[in-house]
Amino acid sequence: MGSMGVPTEYYQLVAALLFTIGLIGVLVRRSALIIFMSIELMLNAVNLSFVAFSRQHGQMDGQIFVFFVMAVAAAEVAVGLAILVAIFRNRETASVDEVHLLKG
Amino acid sequence: MGEAILFTLFSLSAVAFALGMVFRRNAVHCALHLVGVLLSLSGMFVLLHAQFIAAIQILVYAGAIMVLFLFVVMLLNVKGETPLLTPGSAKGFGFFFAFIAFVELLWIVVSQGGTEGEPAPVPALPPNFGSPAEIGKILYTTWLFPFEVTSILLMIAVVGAVVLAKRKFA
């Protein structure tokens, strides 16, 4: 214990890297499914950041936040995938480039 | 020492799996790579004294959410996207924007939010830090109201998912 552990900054660096990879996935991929997965990756990067800060400050509130983020992510995935299924049923595609009805 | 080795292992595998997830063509492969990321992160949570979070990471994420993903991938039977990435200038803009965001994040981490100085040492933690009993204590006292709101949110999500995925809307 004490100051022997890996510093919090290193965990933050990994979290930043994972968040950026998720951001790349959201911005450059075309399949809505992969974009959803990338959003999950970004949420997980933030979770890692929360848990690392939780240890740094010796308080468990950060871990409680991760708990709530997971609950919200589960709700988001359920609704998001249902929307995706509905879009695929109507348009026969899961590519975000081909779903542009609102664009006119 | 052991923590440093495990941290290196988990972080390398997490980043490698994440890159695989973003750049693989087959959606099932992408989902399985995401499972790899989630398991690596679960290992890191154990290193950070968050045993309960590590357990529900595997149960909820790698178990429930990824099964849902795989189910939808196989239900939709999406063909591999013929150009993998968004064509044209949007792709270049995406990589550029992500790079800018990464530099910003890196700057925040390195400068520690503007407070210069040595990295703060990791504090000594009580032995039951992050155990289910301790999490439960503050979850059902300090965070009781958000916890109840979460249960309402989950119920709304279930109802919404059923309504959206039904064949006929009327």
Side-chain angles (χ1 to χ4, degrees):
Chain A
M1 286 298 195
S3 59
M4 263 172 53
V6 176
T8 306
E9 281 77 16
Y10 290 5
Y11 287 101
Q12 303 298 334
L13 278 180
V14 176
L17 208 53
L18 290 178
F19 188 89
T20 309
I21 295 172
L23 189 61
I24 290 174
V26 170
L27 289 174
V28 305
R29 284 299 293 257
R30 299 167 73 232
S31 163
L33 265 170
I34 310 296
I35 289 177
F36 258 119
M37 291 182 201
S38 302
I39 291 173
E40 293 304 312
L41 181 61
M42 291 164 82
L43 284 171
N44 267 281
V46 176
N47 280 353
L48 177 63
S49 193
F50 265 130
V51 173
F53 277 128
S54 170
R55 181 190 66 158
Q56 180 69 44
H57 293 282
Q59 289 181 337
M60 274 181 287
D61 297 311
Q63 299 188 12
I64 300 285
F65 254 81
V66 173
F67 180 82
F68 287 131
V69 169
M70 281 183 187
V72 171
E76 175 233 329
V77 166
V79 174
L81 289 179
I83 292 175
L84 212 58
V85 170
I87 289 175
F88 192 81
R89 189 172 288 149
N90 288 325
R91 307 292 304 266
E92 294 287 313
T93 180
S95 167
V96 288
D97 288 344
E98 291 167 40
V99 182
H100 45 59
L101 207 59
L102 284 178
K103 217 165 133 188
Chain B
M1 195 59 208
E3 190 195 343
I5 294 170
L6 285 174
F7 170 77
T8 314
L9 192 71
F10 287 138
S11 54
L12 284 180
S13 70
V15 171
F17 275 126
L19 284 173
M21 188 209 85
V22 170
F23 292 112
R24 286 301 281 266
R25 188 172 292 275
N26 190 326
V28 176
H29 293 174
C30 293
L32 293 177
H33 277 80
L34 184 54
V35 172
V37 178
L38 299 174
L39 294 179
S40 309
L41 282 179
S42 168
M44 280 204 217
F45 290 163
V46 173
L47 293 183
L48 286 166
H49 302 270
Q51 301 90 338
F52 176 69
I53 298 295
I56 62 169
Q57 168 91 357
I58 293 178
L59 282 178
V60 175
Y61 257 118
I65 294 184
M66 289 319 296
V67 167
L68 203 59
F69 262 112
L70 279 173
F71 188 69
V72 171
V73 168
M74 291 170 183
L75 186 74
L76 297 190
N77 191 21
V78 186
K79 317 273 184 310
E81 309 138 85
T82 25
L84 187 66
L85 309 176
T86 303
S89 61
K91 178 171 58 183
F93 174 75
F95 279 116
F96 177 72
F97 184 75
F99 176 72
I100 297 289
F102 181 65
V103 170
E104 285 178 4
L105 288 173
L106 205 62
W107 186 79
I108 291 171
V109 171
V110 169
S111 73
Q112 298 175 49
T115 59
E116 301 294 334
E118 287 292 302
V122 178
L125 297 170
N128 52 2
F129 186 83
S131 70
E134 293 299 309
I135 293 273
K137 265 181 207 160
I138 55 172
L139 186 61
Y140 291 121
T141 53
T142 317
W143 299 94
L144 182 61
F145 182 67
F147 180 76
E148 295 298 337
V149 172
T150 306
S151 62
I152 298 175
L153 174 78
L154 285 174
M155 196 191 69
I156 294 172
V158 169
V159 173
V162 170
V163 169
L164 280 169
K166 252 170 54 173
R167 193 160 286 276
K168 289 288 174 206
F169 273 92

